[in-house]
Amino acid sequence: MIRLLIVDDISSTRDNLQKLLSFEDDIEVAGTASDGREGLEAAHRLQPDIVLTDVNMPVMDGIQLTETLASELPTSPVIIMSVQGERDYLRRAMQAGAREFLIKPFSHDELVAAIRRVYQLEQKKGTFLAKTAPAQPDAPAAPRSNAPAEVLLVFSGKGGVGKSLIATNLAVALAEQTGGRVALVDLDLQFGDIGVMLNLDHSRSITELVDGSSGIDDESVGEVVATGPSGVKVLLAPISPELADLVTAEHVRTVIAELRRGYDYVIVDSASHLTEFNLEVIELAQRVLVVTALTIPAIKDAKLTLKVLESLSVDAESIMLVVNRVDGYADFNQESIEQSLRTPVAVSIPHDPRVIGDAITRGLPFVTAHPEAEVSRAIRELVARIVPERAMAAAVPESGDRKRRKGLFGR
Ligand SMILES: Nc1ncnc2c1ncn2[C@@H]1O[C@H](COP(=O)(O)OP(=O)(O)OP(=O)(O)O)[C@@H](O)[C@H]1O
Ligand SMILES: [Mg+2]
């Protein structure tokens, strides 16, 4: 029996689907829900074999539901129902990890065939794999080149300047704008925040890689990474600070080398002091993003950081200065910073507690939750600076909210 969960905000659509499927003796509708959040709760409760979801829904849309399920409940694959002309949604749904799409209006046969196909594929993957490995979203649009990934370290001498937020949002924006494969590594080993920022299942982390049982190779790395938004693969920091000691600089080197083989970009978030891990990654990185703020202590620390990088013979060309939390009340302006640090500012990110607070509370990157916000535009600009040739920087994605209000389909 294939147990199905139907998620759609239109009750007549739910009823019709249920009626259509009642004739199939191998498919059982285990439950229905009327928005993504209800759907998520129902999925956790019912553990369905397949989740069939609409895209446009209030509270939480089908894309967010797909993304969340990919990381929290990879054993429940998602089929998305959408209307013709929602290509951008389809692309995002695919990156979020949806297995199949049904374009409305679809026939009874198409529906049943899609459900059986997804179910059989899931069975083939084997119970073990299905229960232990996170869902693999479909390959991103752009084919992966054979060149090893570019490693970008997000670093600052000062704590709390926004490294983790910038690393997270940069990773998601890079995946969206370039279609490349992106890995995000949380090397703030004691107090890593990326798991909570992206609301990821923390059952696996770098700890599982270094415990010595299976070695570090593409397979073991593939098994411990969590799937974040837009298919970004996240290697989380240990779940508890005392476990950080298990990780050595040698481990970090091996993990990064492995990730470089399988991805196009490896973004590394770091702790704010000069740990041996940071030194290791500084050496491996093609780019170091130095994050600072417009305050006197932050500028002082940025100056020291740049000095350290210089003394480590890091090429000035590979350093990008990112100024965060820019507002009208700052101690400095951009010009005075550039003069004082003798480094150009690559991008300024505005201070926006409303947008950022909301995204953090929802466990989403702000570039996805609020694509229209200035902070998101700044991150896209940063992507365009990093990969001018590949990033579709001008392509400002239409806000999910705006689209949803059009109340497109099923209506
Ligand atoms: N542009 C911004 N606008 C408003 N608030 C911001 C902005 N950037 C960062 N913040 C706030 O600062 C907090 C710290 O950000 P974040 O955790 O990314 O810093 P960090 O440098 O990684 O810190 P740590 O050194 O502790 O790891 C965020 O939780 C957020 O509340
Ligand atoms: Mg941090």
Side-chain angles (χ1 to χ4, degrees):
M1 218 34 165
I2 308 174
R3 296 176 66 253
L4 189 76
L5 170 67
I6 297 173
V7 189
D8 198 306
D9 55 332
I10 316 280
S11 71
S12 59
T13 311
R14 293 196 299 271
D15 293 346
N16 285 340
L17 287 168
Q18 229 167 336
K19 262 186 224 132
L20 271 180
L21 292 168
S22 64
F23 299 110
E24 304 306 315
D25 20 274
D26 59 338
I27 300 172
E28 175 202 350
V29 177
T32 61
S34 56
D35 63 59
R37 193 165 305 281
E38 261 187 33
L40 188 61
E41 276 163 25
H44 276 288
R45 192 166 31 121
L46 302 167
Q47 308 270 322
D49 294 311
I50 290 172
V51 177
L52 178 64
T53 182
D54 187 19
V55 180
N56 288 294
M57 290 182 294
V59 190
M60 180 194 268
D61 69 14
I63 309 275
Q64 284 172 331
L65 174 63
T66 306
E67 278 171 359
T68 315
L69 284 174
S71 61
E72 289 183 7
L73 208 61
T75 47
S76 294
V78 175
I79 301 177
I80 290 254
M81 302 179 284
S82 168
V83 282
Q84 205 58 269
E86 290 187 313
R87 281 198 41 215
D88 183 45
Y89 269 144
L90 285 189
R91 189 177 54 78
R92 283 172 50 206
M94 191 156 75
Q95 288 176 343
R99 299 291 166 80
E100 278 273 353
F101 306 101
L102 288 164
I103 307 290
K104 289 182 179 182
F106 45 80
S107 70
H108 165 261
D109 287 357
E110 282 175 290
L111 170 64
V112 172
I115 293 173
R116 293 204 180 112
R117 206 161 41 234
V118 169
Y119 181 72
Q120 279 157 11
L121 202 72
E122 198 62 20
Q123 295 299 98
K124 266 198 209 138
K125 277 170 64 191
T127 339
F128 174 76
L129 239 181
K131 290 219 162 65
T132 56
Q136 302 289 322
D138 293 358
R144 175 171 148 58
S145 68
N146 287 325
E150 180 166 340
V151 178
L152 292 101
L153 171 66
V154 182
F155 184 63
S156 72
K158 175 138 224 77
V161 289
K163 292 181 297 297
S164 303
L165 265 178
I166 291 169
T168 304
N169 284 276
L170 175 63
V172 173
L174 256 174
E176 282 182 355
Q177 283 170 253
T178 67
R181 297 180 63 95
V182 179
L184 174 62
V185 184
D186 193 345
L187 269 199
D188 186 352
L189 293 173
Q190 292 197 343
F191 296 102
D193 292 328
I194 289 180
V196 287
M197 282 186 178
L198 292 179
N199 192 21
L200 294 171
D201 168 15
H202 215 129
S203 61
R204 270 159 293 169
S205 71
I206 193 167
T207 312
E208 281 65 43
L209 265 187
V210 303
D211 68 0
S213 53
S214 59
I216 299 171
D217 56 24
D218 56 343
E219 203 176 316
S220 59
V221 172
E223 269 173 23
V224 300
V225 289
T227 302
S230 302
V232 170
K233 298 291 180 174
V234 188
L235 183 57
L236 292 168
I239 190 143
S240 176
E242 74 277 5
L243 296 171
D245 286 349
L246 297 175
V247 183
T248 65
E250 174 68 33
H251 287 139
V252 169
R253 196 177 319 130
T254 318
V255 168
I256 301 239
E258 202 49 69
L259 289 171
R260 287 196 75 192
R261 275 194 281 276
Y263 292 83
D264 296 308
Y265 303 98
V266 177
I267 314 290
V268 182
D269 182 23
S270 59
S272 319
H273 37 268
L274 278 172
T275 61
E276 55 176 331
F277 308 110
N278 288 343
L279 292 176
E280 192 68 45
V281 184
I282 287 171
E283 209 167 279
L284 293 169
Q286 280 68 50
R287 255 177 228 276
V288 182
L289 271 62
V290 175
V291 183
T292 187
L294 293 176
T295 64
I296 291 168
I299 302 290
K300 180 211 95 194
D301 290 334
K303 205 168 201 163
L304 289 175
T305 302
L306 291 169
K307 232 189 201 144
V308 169
L309 293 177
E310 192 186 343
S311 71
L312 292 168
S313 312
V314 174
D315 182 1
E317 294 280 292
S318 67
I319 297 173
M320 291 178 104
L321 187 62
V322 178
V323 185
N324 187 24
R325 310 186 81 155
V326 175
D327 64 15
Y329 305 99
D331 301 338
F332 291 91
N333 63 23
Q334 180 165 326
E335 259 170 46
S336 58
I337 287 204
E338 290 181 330
Q339 261 173 17
S340 157
L341 299 180
R342 280 191 244 112
T343 308
V345 171
V347 69
S348 290
I349 301 174
H351 178 62
D352 192 343
R354 189 188 61 81
V355 159
I356 287 178
D358 173 74
I360 293 178
T361 313
R362 289 162 66 194
L364 289 171
F366 58 76
V367 289
T368 321
H370 296 280
E372 72 293 347
E374 274 298 298
V375 278
S376 304
R377 194 200 46 73
I379 296 287
R380 289 195 295 272
E381 189 184 321
L382 184 58
V383 173
R385 298 232 157 191
I386 293 169
V387 274
E389 70 286 6
R390 290 187 67 192
M392 301 168 289
V396 179
E398 200 175 344
S399 143
D401 292 323
R402 230 182 303 149
K403 264 206 164 163
R404 214 173 296 136
R405 259 180 247 126
K406 283 187 199 156
L408 276 176
F409 76 81
R411 286 165 209 214

